[in-house]
Amino acid sequence: MTTELGLPALRGGPASDPARPADPRLVDGFGRVATDLRISLTDRCNLRCTYCMPAEGLDWMPRSEQLTDDELNRLIALAVRELGVEELRFTGGEPLLRKGLEDVLTAASALRPRPDVSLTTNGIGLARRAGALAAAGVDRLNVSLDTLRPERFAEITRRDRLSDVLDGLAAAHAAGMRPVKINTVLLRGVNDDEAPDLLAFALEHGYQLRFIEQMPLDAQHGWRRSEMITADEILERLGERFTLTPSGEARGGAPAEKFEVDGGPDVVGVIASVTRPFCGSCDRTRLTADGQVRTCLFATGETDLRAMLRGGATDAEIAGTWRDAMWGKKAGHGIDDPGFLQPARPMSAIGG
């Protein structure tokens, strides 16, 4: 079958490979093990960031196609108890738009073994919900923030809501969800002169800043590598005000390359998915809001777990399909390959 977005989806998943080891975890053919599950709760968003979607927004997923809370809780529990998942990151779109979010988070944090629970948000509405999110079991938060200037925020997001994001950051920090991380994308000729100011702001308030290279995941398919601010450029801009040295901390499967700022202990991260890919140590598996497993952010195919859920499949059958899907994960995202194709789904529909 194919989804409405034109992506090849496999009902029941790929065929089992006899070469796959008898390992209950989500292993792949290159020796990697997925222990980090990224869960998209919705494709909807209340911002319209220029590098993500058009001003008018997108055709949102019908509610009937979205996993119900019970379906979502079942897949999460299966991933933690049967497949070795240790970390859960809830994303969107904008996850705060998901009705019953705190109930889903509470169920996830109550699982045993208890997974690490985090949330990525744009910060709109976070100020009034930070306490409830912490009570529901959220350990850490990532908040998107690309500028400290109100007029630029309105230009990038097409919404005049900077003060809401800043209030949300402060509320999350006060609620004890630490470290509160800031995710920043630098856009050439738009906000690339703000890198040192953003780092100074993060250091002053006790937040941890991570710069992310702009990736080919926009709905408009307008990404151009030549226009992207690279990791080298980011470090060069930060070096105008700060002394950065590589952190001695083991990176493992973490996407961020960390640098100590002025001798530490504060650090700044750079996620260079394009120019310094870290596919060889990737430990992530992804679940979209409509129940599709994606082995990579840039995958062009998906495996349909929603159809299995609604078709009466057992947990063992679903787990087996998920394992088989991950076994077929490719070695890398292939952005530098001449034949690279940008995923049909934009970031808001995949989940960060």
Side-chain angles (χ1 to χ4, degrees):
M1 66 172 287
T2 55
T3 71
E4 289 74 7
L5 287 168
L7 293 169
L10 304 174
R11 185 186 295 275
S16 296
D17 184 346
R20 187 191 182 281
D23 190 323
R25 301 174 301 167
L26 295 172
V27 300
D28 67 33
F30 299 92
R32 298 167 298 194
V33 181
T35 57
D36 182 338
L37 173 59
R38 305 295 171 100
I39 306 159
S40 176
L41 295 173
T42 177
D43 62 335
R44 299 167 189 261
C45 191
N46 42 15
L47 298 181
R48 299 290 182 271
C49 296
T50 57
Y51 56 85
C52 186
M53 67 178 69
E56 64 273 17
L58 301 169
D59 292 330
W60 307 124
M61 181 186 301
R63 298 290 188 187
S64 61
E65 295 179 11
Q66 183 175 284
L67 292 177
T68 66
D69 287 359
D70 287 344
E71 291 170 336
L72 186 59
N73 291 339
R74 181 181 172 189
L75 290 179
I76 292 171
L78 189 154
V80 171
R81 292 171 177 163
E82 305 296 333
L83 301 176
V85 165
E86 301 170 356
E87 299 178 52
L88 304 173
R89 175 174 295 279
F90 293 89
T91 69
E94 173 45 52
L96 296 187
L97 296 179
R98 170 86 182 211
K99 293 183 178 180
L101 170 62
E102 285 82 359
D103 292 336
V104 171
L105 294 169
T106 298
S109 61
L111 292 170
R112 295 296 179 270
R114 204 269 198 197
D116 179 87
V117 178
S118 59
L119 184 80
T120 297
T121 172
N122 63 26
I124 306 299
L126 177 58
R128 66 176 181 273
R129 295 178 68 178
L133 293 173
V138 175
D139 301 303
R140 294 173 290 104
L141 271 176
N142 285 43
V143 180
S144 299
L145 178 65
D146 299 325
T147 178
L148 296 170
R149 304 181 187 181
E151 70 282 0
R152 282 189 179 175
F153 187 92
E155 176 187 356
I156 294 170
T157 68
R158 301 187 177 102
R159 300 289 187 271
D160 185 15
R161 305 292 297 272
L162 176 60
S163 60
D164 295 280
V165 179
L166 297 179
D167 289 347
L169 283 165
H173 188 76
M177 292 179 284
R178 302 180 185 179
V180 174
K181 296 181 181 179
I182 296 174
N183 290 346
T184 296
V185 176
L186 295 182
L187 306 171
R188 194 174 301 281
V190 178
N191 66 337
D192 52 326
D193 60 333
E194 276 192 82
D197 291 340
L198 284 159
L199 180 52
F201 168 80
L203 296 175
E204 177 185 355
H205 293 277
Y207 309 142
Q208 190 176 116
L209 180 61
R210 308 193 316 169
F211 290 96
I212 304 175
E213 287 183 339
Q214 185 185 0
M215 295 178 283
L217 291 167
D218 59 307
Q220 307 93 307
H221 285 212
W223 179 89
R224 297 292 181 271
R225 180 166 183 151
S226 59
E227 299 175 6
M228 178 193 72
I229 302 295
T230 67
D232 287 344
E233 291 177 280
I234 293 168
L235 294 173
E236 180 181 355
R237 283 162 171 73
L238 295 176
E240 295 170 1
R241 194 182 306 179
F242 303 95
T243 299
L244 303 182
T245 53
S247 168
E249 180 181 339
R251 182 174 176 179
E257 194 175 353
K258 292 183 180 180
F259 298 86
E260 292 184 353
V261 181
D262 293 338
D266 294 311
V267 296
V268 62
V270 177
I271 300 177
S273 300
V274 178
T275 64
R276 303 180 185 182
F278 40 89
C279 302
S281 59
C282 180
D283 62 356
R284 286 170 289 289
T285 182
R286 298 176 181 275
L287 183 66
T288 65
D290 56 348
Q292 310 300 309
V293 164
R294 296 178 65 89
T295 60
C296 173
L297 189 59
F298 299 96
T300 54
E302 301 176 336
T303 299
D304 190 353
L305 298 188
R306 183 189 63 192
M308 297 188 72
L309 286 168
R310 297 181 181 179
T314 65
D315 282 358
E317 290 169 335
I318 295 171
T321 293
W322 203 333
R323 292 186 188 106
D324 289 338
M326 293 305 297
W327 176 248
K329 181 173 181 171
K330 294 182 179 180
H333 53 49
I335 290 177
D336 285 329
D337 295 342
F340 173 77
L341 294 175
Q342 181 172 336
R345 287 196 198 238
M347 176 67 95
S348 63
I350 296 173

